[in-house]
Amino acid sequence: MQIIFLNFQKYYKKKYGDGVNEFWITNNTQENPCLVVLVNKEMANLTYFPDEESLGFQSVGCQTNQKNDYCIFYTNTPEEEIEIRRDSIISVDKAFEAAKKFFL
């Protein structure tokens, strides 16, 4: 576990295009549980899938009073856009802390 986490520490700040990235994190060779981290500049969204049948659980943030209810993130490629509700957005630092706890 420690080696995997050190590798994640090395790469989690790597961003593409306009400051975006996506991480799918699992323990060992299992597909589940799985933690998905979407990053857009200093914002992040987490989705946790405890098992294959689950629809997942998203992070809870408090980004309010913005122009719109959604923020653009990217999945699969730096160009494939998805909309994430602003109330599910947290900071990249908080996302990293959650990922760290996921590994422990």
Side-chain angles (χ1 to χ4, degrees):
M1 290 287 241
Q2 189 64 24
I3 293 171
I4 294 169
F5 182 69
L6 291 174
N7 283 338
F8 179 68
Q9 279 184 302
K10 181 178 177 182
Y11 294 107
Y12 92 100
K13 289 189 177 186
K14 187 171 181 77
K15 296 177 183 166
Y16 298 94
D18 194 22
V20 300
N21 207 339
E22 174 183 46
F23 301 94
W24 287 72
I25 306 165
T26 61
N27 286 320
N28 300 318
T29 58
Q30 302 170 354
E31 290 185 20
N32 290 294
C34 177
L35 182 66
V36 180
V37 182
L38 297 176
V39 176
N40 185 342
K41 297 178 183 65
E42 294 306 313
M43 300 179 296
N45 172 262
L46 299 176
T47 305
Y48 173 72
F49 297 100
D51 56 52
E52 204 171 288
E53 287 87 35
S54 176
L55 297 175
F57 301 92
Q58 287 204 332
S59 52
V60 176
C62 58
Q63 284 208 355
T64 57
N65 300 324
Q66 302 289 327
K67 285 184 177 182
N68 55 43
D69 291 337
Y70 295 90
C71 184
I72 301 295
F73 281 81
Y74 297 84
T75 187
N76 301 320
T77 69
E79 294 84 28
E80 188 175 336
E81 295 182 359
I82 59 171
E83 292 182 336
I84 302 289
R85 288 190 52 84
R86 285 198 180 272
D87 59 6
S88 297
I89 296 172
I90 60 175
S91 71
V92 171
D93 291 337
K94 284 185 180 181
F96 176 66
E97 286 302 313
K100 183 176 171 180
K101 289 179 181 181
F102 182 75
F103 279 108
L104 301 177

